[in-house]
Amino acid sequence: MAKEPRIIVYTGKGGVGKTSVAAATAALAAKQGKRTLVMSTDIAHSLADSFDRPLGAEPVQIAPGLWGQESDVYYNVQKYWGTIQRYVTSVFAWRGLDTVVAEEMTIIPGMDELSSLLWIAEHSDQGEYDLIVVDAAPTGETLRLLSLPEAGEWWLEHIFPIQRQAMRVAGPLMRRVTGVPTPSDAVFAAGEELFHRLEHLHDILTNPMQSSIRLVLNLEKMVIKEAQRSFTYFHLFGYPTDLVVGNRVLPAGAGAFMDQWKGLQERYLPLVEESFAPVPIRTVPFFEQEVVGLEMLERLGGALFADSDPAAFFYRGRPYQVERENGEFILSLQLPFASKEQLKIDRNVDELVVQVGSWRRNIILPRALVSAETRAAQFEGDTLRIHFAAPEGAKGRS
């Protein structure tokens, strides 16, 4: 079996320089001897611009030990959605749309980014690389896409079987009466395979022994606030974060014109270090020239990681766990920067629904808690602790 590669996903508010940091991490890792792939899952690609050379829908070698990839929506849709797309195209064509227009209409918003994410699982399974660095979309879009695998799993378990059986019964009659194309078993099988791919991707990205998220920010108030919210939501969905990168930090002697910005950065940096602790913070200076091309990227990577391994885990934590304590079970979920006012908790048999602001996660409870009564919930620091009565005969730790 191929060795599982290390996976690092860089994200951050648009414009903070996450593409440069992702590319620099990959360039330095390759220079240190790791077979490294850096890939963009952002629809607004700029990875090729960062390396100052064209990249394609499949990995392209950039330097010894270094490959780059920028996904292509049509290539990805054909690769991962081909059967489903052909069915949807037939429906649009039945409604009288030109075939070319019908095919364009099947590119559902978000499909291209999601298809790009599926490449991560494929490269991981193939085991051709030691390290996969992902230049992801800005945080809001990344969060939305990373929440899809869990939603897809719920759909597959609860809704999909009903739809499939209903179509087997009613499909032939619909075709005879209305003439509308109905999905075949192959379409449902393709949908089921897609959901399983999403589930596999979720397992890879939430594996703290293989993957981690890294947040890139600038030392500006609005950017820091968004990074804090993103940090909360990544914890909510169980995606481990091992590093926060403060980019474009002004050096000493930047000049009188930049003194005020330098002063603001000096005030914000301790706040960032305190807010994200125990996840470490590393900073990158504002260079005197544009960070474009392999030489400048390696320079950025050296400034960020010095002599350390850019693929190392700089922090490991457990944002979600269940344990036995004082005769009851306690589910603990780290939600940094969340407040009690933002929080809503619901219980539905074996599902616990935790909502923070506009983001919601369905947590499937461990078997030991399915029949356990929910007693109370409270915040302790940045950790939500939900108390369950221990079922009769339950022993040890879940």
Side-chain angles (χ1 to χ4, degrees):
M1 182 177 178
K3 180 184 175 183
E4 292 180 338
R6 172 78 166 97
I7 297 173
I8 300 169
V9 179
Y10 278 102
T11 187
K13 186 177 175 65
V16 297
K18 62 179 177 58
T19 297
S20 296
V21 173
T25 300
L28 182 62
K31 192 175 182 179
Q32 291 180 353
K34 292 181 175 63
R35 286 178 60 85
T36 304
L37 169 70
V38 57
M39 56 179 294
S40 171
T41 63
D42 187 352
I43 188 173
H45 297 304
S46 55
L47 191 60
D49 298 330
S50 190
F51 283 105
D52 197 24
R53 59 155 299 161
L55 299 175
E58 295 275 356
V60 173
Q61 187 160 16
I62 300 170
L66 178 62
W67 286 261
Q69 179 181 10
E70 283 188 339
S71 59
D72 175 87
V73 56
Y74 296 103
Y75 186 90
N76 289 344
V77 167
Q78 182 59 38
K79 183 177 179 68
Y80 293 112
W81 303 71
T83 303
I84 299 171
Q85 185 199 28
R86 284 190 289 273
Y87 164 67
V88 177
T89 300
S90 72
V91 174
F92 284 138
W94 171 77
R95 291 293 298 166
L97 285 179
D98 177 82
T99 303
V100 175
V101 176
E103 287 187 1
E104 290 287 337
M105 292 286 287
T106 61
I107 308 298
I108 302 168
M111 183 187 291
D112 43 0
E113 295 100 325
L114 184 58
S115 300
S116 299
L117 284 174
L118 291 174
W119 272 105
I120 300 172
E122 181 158 328
H123 289 311
S124 176
D125 293 343
Q126 290 173 349
E128 294 183 6
Y129 305 102
D130 303 313
L131 171 65
I132 298 171
V133 180
V134 181
D135 173 29
T139 42
E141 187 69 13
T142 299
L143 282 161
R144 184 177 68 82
L145 292 169
L146 291 181
S147 68
L148 281 176
E150 202 165 82
E153 182 180 356
W154 185 90
W155 186 273
L156 186 63
E157 291 179 359
H158 293 82
I159 305 298
F160 195 79
I162 299 172
Q163 288 186 324
R164 192 170 194 172
Q165 186 59 34
M167 195 52 61
R168 282 173 177 166
V169 174
L173 179 62
M174 288 178 61
R175 281 194 298 271
R176 285 197 300 270
V177 174
T178 66
V180 62
T182 54
S184 64
D185 241 20
V187 173
F188 280 104
E192 189 172 7
E193 181 188 1
L194 179 61
F195 283 135
H196 285 309
R197 283 177 181 269
L198 288 172
E199 186 179 2
H200 180 46
L201 173 66
H202 179 264
D203 291 342
I204 290 172
L205 293 180
T206 56
N207 179 2
M209 304 305 292
Q210 182 181 8
S211 305
S212 62
I213 305 290
R214 291 182 180 174
L215 284 168
V216 182
L217 55 80
N218 300 145
L219 296 178
E220 301 171 17
K221 186 173 183 179
M222 289 178 61
V223 177
I224 294 169
K225 287 293 185 183
E226 177 163 327
Q228 288 175 335
R229 285 192 292 270
S230 302
F231 194 62
T232 301
Y233 299 143
F234 284 128
H235 277 73
L236 175 63
F237 288 104
Y239 292 100
T241 304
D242 82 314
L243 187 65
V244 176
V245 178
N247 193 24
R248 298 173 183 154
V249 177
L250 291 168
F257 181 76
M258 304 300 292
D259 278 350
Q260 189 168 354
W261 277 108
K262 178 65 176 170
L264 285 173
Q265 289 189 345
E266 288 175 347
R267 289 200 297 272
Y268 282 138
L269 183 56
L271 169 66
V272 170
E273 291 172 338
E274 179 182 335
S275 297
F276 292 98
V279 175
I281 312 297
R282 292 200 172 205
T283 59
V284 178
F286 198 112
F287 289 101
E288 76 285 354
Q289 65 183 82
E290 194 175 8
V291 180
V292 173
L294 196 57
E295 184 179 343
M296 281 302 298
L297 289 170
E298 288 178 353
R299 184 179 167 193
L300 190 158
L304 177 57
F305 297 106
D307 296 326
S308 61
D309 180 1
F313 287 91
F314 293 97
Y315 172 76
R316 275 197 174 104
R318 293 186 64 192
Y320 161 60
Q321 61 181 341
V322 179
E323 55 191 347
R324 180 88 180 261
E325 187 177 300
N326 299 326
E328 62 182 4
F329 282 112
I330 298 177
L331 183 151
S332 300
L333 179 66
Q334 288 184 11
L335 295 174
F337 308 114
S339 65
K340 185 177 180 181
E341 292 72 28
Q342 293 176 292
L343 190 66
K344 182 179 179 181
I345 305 171
D346 290 311
R347 168 85 183 271
N348 180 23
V349 192
D350 64 340
E351 289 184 318
L352 189 71
V353 181
V354 181
Q355 183 167 337
V356 181
S358 60
W359 292 94
R360 182 173 66 181
R361 182 183 180 190
N362 289 51
I363 298 174
I364 304 300
L365 294 173
R367 188 174 300 174
L369 300 185
V370 172
S371 59
E373 176 191 355
T374 308
R375 285 183 168 173
Q378 62 193 50
F379 259 124
E380 292 185 7
D382 63 1
T383 302
L384 173 66
R385 289 167 59 86
I386 303 173
H387 297 251
F388 297 83
E392 191 67 29
K395 298 179 181 180
R397 180 175 292 185
S398 173

